[in-house]
Amino acid sequence: MASTEESVEGNLVKSVTEYVKSYMANYDGSHDFNHIERVVGLAKYIHAHLPETPPRDQQVVVLSALLHDVGDKKYLKPGEDASTLVYELLLSLGAVEQLARTVQTICLGVSYSSEIKDPARVQDLIQSHPELAVVQDADRLDAIGSIGIGRVFTFTGARTTRSMADSIQHFHDKLLKLESMMKTDVGRDLARERTARMQEFLKWWDEEAAFSSGSPLPT
């Protein structure tokens, strides 16, 4: 019986993976399938290195990591409803209703902007769905460090007409704050090193950009 259940779960993950790979094929390089693969890998790592309590469902962690950007408002397609898109997809692929509802809820809770608007709601969701803490940390870890630096400029170039200076401001407005918003000890440890890498990068940036003002900084 157990092997049959594992086979069903594996097939669902495989089907979702193929869907996400196709769905995100037109996303720019900052939010492409490579990003999803990194978030899934980080989520698995965090899940494996956390205490067993509170109990978490690894299938929920993996599915939520795979689907967390499906329905992202930055890329939402006409006619799509972000509040039900993941739920309806999972049902269509044979998931039971409770699993589909849980994963949809977690995906809707990952957003940084949503947490800024209502942090108490996110804390309540984590109490009910501890998998959210894992997936949220994994997604935010991929937004910082050396990969995060690359993603900032990739998104700016692909989706906006903002300057590089505006991209630098994004580090101060958001990315340097993410370490303090990590929900797990594992995520916090990983974020500390990635934040240090960004701070070093910003130091280099300031040193090089200072030449444009005619007042280079001492090195």
Side-chain angles (χ1 to χ4, degrees):
M1 182 65 177
S3 61
T4 301
E5 290 178 356
E6 290 173 4
S7 177
V8 171
E9 291 180 3
N11 287 337
L12 179 59
V13 169
K14 182 178 179 180
S15 296
V16 168
T17 300
E18 291 304 313
Y19 171 88
V20 173
K21 190 180 297 185
S22 174
Y23 182 88
M24 302 187 71
N26 295 321
Y27 281 27
D28 64 84
S30 69
H31 288 79
D32 59 8
F33 189 68
N34 292 316
H35 163 62
I36 299 299
E37 289 183 309
R38 291 191 300 269
V39 171
V40 170
L42 283 162
K44 288 180 177 179
Y45 179 88
I46 294 169
H47 173 71
H49 288 81
L50 284 176
E52 294 183 0
T53 55
R56 299 171 307 277
D57 185 329
Q58 181 167 332
Q59 184 189 28
V60 171
V61 169
V62 171
L63 289 173
S64 299
L66 280 168
L67 290 162
H68 78 277
D69 270 340
V70 171
D72 185 318
K73 64 182 181 181
K74 296 188 295 296
Y75 302 93
L76 199 63
K77 300 172 185 175
E80 291 182 338
D81 182 353
S83 67
T84 60
L85 188 58
V86 167
Y87 170 75
E88 292 173 352
L89 167 69
L90 288 171
L91 288 183
S92 74
L93 295 176
V96 298
E97 184 169 353
Q98 183 57 50
L99 175 61
R101 288 192 184 281
T102 297
V103 174
Q104 176 71 84
T105 298
I106 290 171
C107 289
L108 291 173
V110 169
S111 167
Y112 170 85
S113 58
S114 295
E115 181 170 6
I116 293 299
K117 291 176 184 175
D118 192 354
R121 175 179 174 274
V122 172
Q123 291 296 336
D124 288 343
L125 283 174
I126 289 173
Q127 291 298 315
S128 303
H129 306 291
E131 296 87 358
L132 171 57
V134 174
V135 177
Q136 193 180 68
D137 278 11
D139 185 41
R140 291 176 183 181
L141 282 166
D142 202 55
I144 59 179
S146 59
I147 286 177
I149 293 168
R151 290 183 67 209
V152 168
F153 291 103
T154 299
F155 181 82
T156 300
R159 303 283 297 184
T160 78
T161 57
R162 295 196 299 256
S163 68
M164 288 198 297
D166 291 328
S167 295
I168 291 298
Q169 187 59 42
H170 184 66
F171 287 87
H172 300 286
D173 292 342
K174 175 181 177 181
L175 302 187
L176 292 173
K177 300 175 182 178
L178 293 181
E179 179 187 349
S180 67
M181 297 177 69
M182 292 290 154
K183 304 302 187 300
T184 69
D185 289 339
V186 179
R188 202 170 292 112
D189 288 343
L190 292 171
R192 188 176 301 114
E193 177 60 32
R194 294 187 183 212
T195 300
R197 293 170 188 169
M198 291 191 298
Q199 290 168 332
E200 184 70 10
F201 164 76
L202 291 170
K203 177 185 174 184
W204 295 340
W205 183 281
D206 288 343
E207 289 175 0
E208 296 172 16
F211 283 92
S212 66
S213 66
S215 302
L217 300 175
T219 56

